Amino acid sequence: MKKTLVVLALSLITNVLCLCQTVNDSAFRSEVKTIILNREGVELSPPILRLGSGDRLLLQFDLLGDENRYLSYRIQHCSHDWQVDDLAVSDYLNGFETSAIGKSQSSFTTRQPYVHYWETIPNDMTEFTASGNYLLTVYDDENPDSVLFTRRFYVYEVQASLQAEVGQVLGSEGKDRNQNVSVYVTPPKGQYFNNPAQYYHLYVRQNGRTDLCRELSLNNVKGNELHYKWKDENVFAGGNVFRFFDVSNLNIPMYTTARLEIFAGEYIAYLKPEEDRSRKNYVHREGLSGQFKVSADNRNDATVEADYVWVNFSLPMAAPRLDGAFYIVGDFAGWDFSDENMMQWQPQMKAYTMRMLVKQGYYSYQIVFVPAGQHEGRTSVVEGDFFEAKNDYYIFLYQHTPADRFDRLIGTALIKS
């Protein structure tokens, strides 16, 4: 009976979380840190699985403190626009929608104690039987109304071929700043797309930014090929090379770190002041495109031996912007615009500042300006926009015909600019 009540309580909590238009990657507890969801065995890979492939996702995260808690997760199927749908669990899973996270280990010789948790999905308790968007919710087993975090992932099937190209926009305006993404979709040999404008949804996302995930409209049909191109929503600001910092070594400041300190038993890193790059020339540098990698020098196992450090950012500016806010954006910040990664104006310093507690490693990020009342961030203000910039574009094609009971994810692709 207790387990039934726990599941029902979690169901009510999660449904409340999903009343918004879309569900997002969110952390609801401050002790949750360093959430990673990748394809098992492929570091820095996106959380995308092919249905029936045998591949699995590896979920990893830390909880600050030395208490080893009983945690569980829940898996829900979502629509193409990331709303939890009304499918029965048996429609998309063989096994259980909820299961315990069975693997954990306490940190070793760190100033900041934490417990590292991990689990593979699917596993012996779970097997996916339907493609589509999925929401993973992790919660405290002893307190099911305490949702720790949510993460989105994808399970796809191959029922279409997606080809894409990144080029310059037509005309002279914005030609040097923007990138145009064109997508071409073909069905399997001998098949065709019925009523494609109504039954199919195509999305393109730049890097990991959910604010730059757009549904493209069908431009035309050429033979049996669907063309999505030359519309306003196909045009993305190019942005710039991602900034980075390296705190894998807490004894010596690395690269963009100005100095390191230990105060009240905690590591503190001060990064060099950020530059306004919007009026500088584009200079290419290889990087992680907003991702991060946990790493600790002179440690055998960084997952439990890497320490945590307060990283301080500063962006000098003559006066504050009253028409919006600046955010540090990257995978380590959840690709989100939240209070945790919003920079604050410091009048005595004439600078925007922010600090964040992160695990030792290498991190890449950008500074994005979000105008007041808008949800899409702009790189043009501080980063600058350049056609030559390197970006990853993820493409997702969904199908929901009268014969389908849910939004199937029938094709994915990745193209790099």
Side-chain angles (χ1 to χ4, degrees), residues 124-290:
D124 293 340
M125 306 295 291
T126 306
E127 179 186 5
F128 298 113
T129 59
S131 65
N133 292 343
Y134 281 84
L135 180 69
L136 176 73
T137 301
V138 174
Y139 61 99
D140 193 323
D141 212 27
E142 298 298 321
N143 185 19
D145 62 343
S146 178
V147 174
L148 300 180
F149 65 88
T150 56
R151 276 299 180 269
R152 309 191 306 181
F153 65 95
Y154 306 82
V155 177
Y156 73 97
E157 53 186 299
V158 181
Q159 294 297 326
S161 174
L162 278 61
Q163 303 293 326
E165 58 187 17
V166 179
Q168 290 183 297
V169 298
L170 292 176
S172 58
E173 184 177 356
K175 185 176 182 180
D176 296 329
R177 302 189 304 271
N178 299 321
Q179 297 172 342
N180 182 86
V181 182
S182 300
V183 184
Y184 309 92
V185 181
T186 54
K189 187 175 181 180
Q191 299 184 28
Y192 64 96
F193 295 115
N194 181 30
N195 198 352
Q198 180 178 353
Y199 298 150
Y200 297 86
H201 299 273
L202 186 97
Y203 287 82
V204 174
R205 187 188 75 204
Q206 187 189 73
N207 302 313
R209 288 181 58 179
T210 54
D211 65 310
L212 291 181
C213 185
R214 303 174 184 166
E215 182 174 6
L216 304 189
S217 56
L218 183 64
N219 178 267
N220 61 56
V221 180
K222 186 175 181 180
N224 203 23
E225 186 176 72
L226 310 182
H227 290 191
Y228 298 82
K229 60 180 183 179
W230 304 129
K231 297 290 185 71
D232 289 344
E233 61 265 29
N234 294 67
V235 178
F236 292 79
N240 205 336
V241 172
F242 279 77
R243 302 169 191 253
F244 74 96
F245 64 88
D246 185 348
V247 287
S248 58
N249 189 323
L250 295 178
N251 296 313
I252 303 172
M254 304 280 285
Y255 306 110
T256 60
T257 303
R259 71 181 193 274
L260 292 165
E261 295 179 357
I262 298 176
F263 180 77
E266 296 183 306
Y267 287 109
I268 303 174
Y270 294 90
L271 303 186
K272 296 175 182 178
E274 306 287 354
E275 291 184 333
D276 181 346
R277 306 189 297 177
S278 62
R279 293 175 177 82
K280 294 179 177 291
N281 293 328
Y282 177 77
V283 178
H284 176 67
R285 182 187 66 244
E286 294 296 331
L288 295 183
S289 298

Side-chain angles (χ1 to χ4, degrees), residues 112-128:
Q112 169 63 62
Y114 60 88
V115 180
H116 180 71
Y117 297 83
W118 72 98
E119 189 59 78
T120 54
I121 302 170
N123 46 47
D124 293 340
M125 306 295 291
T126 306
E127 179 186 5
F128 298 113

